[in-house]
Amino acid sequence: MREFSTFYSEFQLKGRGSVWHPCTIMKQHESYPLIPIERGQGIWLYDASGNRYLDAISSWWVNLFGHCNPDINAALRDQLEKLEHVMLAGFTHEPAIELSERLVKLTPGSLGHCFYASDGASATEIALKMSFHYWQLCGKPEKNQFISLQNGYHGETLGALSVTDVAIFKQIYAPILHQYKTMPTPDWRYAETGESHRDYALRAAHALENYLAQHHATTAALILEPLIQGAAGMGMYHPIYLQRAREICSRYQVHFIADEIAVGFGRTGTFFACEQANITPDFLCLAKGLSGGYLPLSVTMTTDEIYEVFYHEKSSRTFLHSHSHTGNALACRAALATLDLFEQNAVIQANRDKTDYLNKITLPLATHPKVKNFRNCGMIWAFEFETEDPEFSIKCFQAALKQQLLLRPLDKTVYFIPPYIINQQEMNLLVNGTLKVLDEWSES
Ligand SMILES: Cc1ncc(COP(=O)(O)O)c(C=O)c1O
């Protein structure tokens, strides 16, 4: 077998690759080499030359308990000997049943039903389709529009992209997307000087109310990312917005879809972000950390009321949506092992101590002369770095690698979403390494 490094330099020289990488300007890799990762252990990723990188963004926000986690590995090995996959139509299996029952117990209100898929975007599609279909079945076919938040992100399949508002992903595809309305974001970075985060969130909720007062008859659902708009650059907002949005949606008979694909499973400091507003959505979308980040698995949970409308003998009155790997047994087993880890290690409480520690040691970052809007919510930290360099993101990524860090800024926003197993020594390394990257930048 060829050495990875030889392979990748050949790749760069020829300027063509059999792997077409996601969210990547492929041509950039003529100047910036891809990093061939050979193995992962805990918070660390190891490349073919033996260099290691602290996975400070949990490999696109999915990994909760580290790479090659011994407990999840053991559960998967056990499951492999029993059943790797069976279609979930006409058949069922223990991991899917147990996972559904445990998720139902963990979620608020009457979210009693789990519809599985493989990735986050599919969970969004399912919520949108179910909402639309529900209103059809209830004799309100005119409720066929969706609303979402300015800067929101819900995935990149066509339906999910239609309710996404991130220009870099959406703009070019606009002619083949549905044109839905976006509501002002509650992200406090948009507040007026002197306006509190809460007041700004209330102002954004007021705009939502004004819109729905006029358009509720044609609106099926509002979809949003509770508390943190991830792809928007970790835009954070006050939970009062969620409370108000829930009240407004209930008043106007508009479904409330909470996309907790990125923020679920403890990321915001509570198991689900919606808990901080004490609300129950009509649909809850989960993915990423659901399987501990191990395997593609997503779920759209919904209420008894919605499920019952589809509980019918006629095919036109049922939800005939499917993905081949729906409820994959291995992925469900990884999810069960992940939930066990939460229970056995009182993770949410332990994370609060980690958050306190990281907040203490990030003071030099928060007060850095080129850092703006330093913010934290649960196990997510973010700030904007003041620079005019349009290539800041890729250059910062490269500079961070030299400090043994995997950082991947969203434009000028640097963020940390570390796996929950991060220890104090690793947190020190993360903060000191980031400071070095920023200081070198400030001097150059
Ligand atoms: C809030 C949110 N929704 C949906 C998605 C899409 O998930 P996936 O990439 O698994 O399709 C993401 C992915 O980052 C996300 O952050």
Side-chain angles (χ1 to χ4, degrees), residues 61 119-121 153-155 225 259 261-262 288:
W61 327 343
D119 49 49
Y153 180 92
H154 302 286
E225 296 154 272
D259 173 354
I261 288 164
K288 291 191 186 272

Side-chain angles (χ1 to χ4, degrees), residues 78-91:
D78 180 64
Q79 186 59 39
L80 261 179
E81 297 302 326
K82 293 179 183 155
L83 174 70
E84 84 301 345
H85 180 69
V86 62
M87 65 190 211
L88 209 61
F91 293 92

Side-chain angles (χ1 to χ4, degrees), residues 220-224 226 241-247 249-250 254-259 274 279-284:
L222 161 72
I223 181 166
L224 52 71
Y241 184 84
L242 294 175
Q243 262 169 27
R244 285 293 154 91
R246 173 70 273 187
E247 282 161 23
C249 285
S250 298
V254 167
H255 288 144
F256 184 109
I257 305 173
D259 173 354
C274 282
I279 56 158
T280 304
D282 299 298
F283 296 94
L284 176 66

Side-chain angles (χ1 to χ4, degrees), residues 119-157:
D119 49 49
S122 306
T124 300
E125 299 285 347
I126 289 164
L128 298 176
K129 282 178 70 179
M130 269 186 190
S131 172
F132 166 83
H133 198 159
Y134 171 92
W135 293 118
Q136 298 277 315
L137 296 179
C138 292
K140 295 193 170 169
E142 64 285 359
K143 278 173 104 59
N144 58 17
Q145 298 295 303
F146 296 102
I147 53 173
S148 55
L149 298 188
Q150 173 192 3
N151 300 336
Y153 180 92
H154 302 286
E156 293 175 48
T157 50

